[in-house]
Amino acid sequence: MAVPKKRTSKSKKKIRNHVWKIKSVEKASKSFSLAQSVLSGCSRSFYYVTERKYFRTN
């Protein structure tokens, strides 16, 4: 038979929510930093194509 689970305490819920928010803030700050370095042209850890050359194949 199915048995109902115990209720999670408010403190555990707040801790989990806080950890989730901290992770999202860290990811956002890293991505913003990477975007700034790419736009300024000072990126050393990210490779990207600056010019596209198109080749015709017949």
Side-chain angles (χ1 to χ4, degrees):
M1 266 173 67
V3 178
K5 295 180 180 178
K6 286 189 172 183
R7 184 179 174 96
T8 306
S9 67
K10 287 184 181 180
S11 62
K12 279 191 180 181
K13 184 179 175 182
K14 283 185 176 183
I15 289 169
R16 287 189 186 131
N17 198 8
H18 187 67
V19 168
W20 181 79
K21 285 181 182 179
I22 287 175
K23 285 182 181 179
S24 64
V25 168
E26 286 176 356
K27 296 280 183 182
S29 64
K30 281 186 179 182
S31 62
F32 186 72
S33 173
L34 179 62
Q36 281 183 324
S37 65
V38 167
L39 289 174
S40 67
C42 298
S43 178
R44 294 183 189 148
S45 63
F46 187 74
Y47 298 101
Y48 53 94
V49 178
T50 55
E51 292 181 14
R52 290 188 178 210
K53 295 182 180 179
Y54 295 101
F55 298 102
R56 295 181 81 189
T57 57
N58 292 334

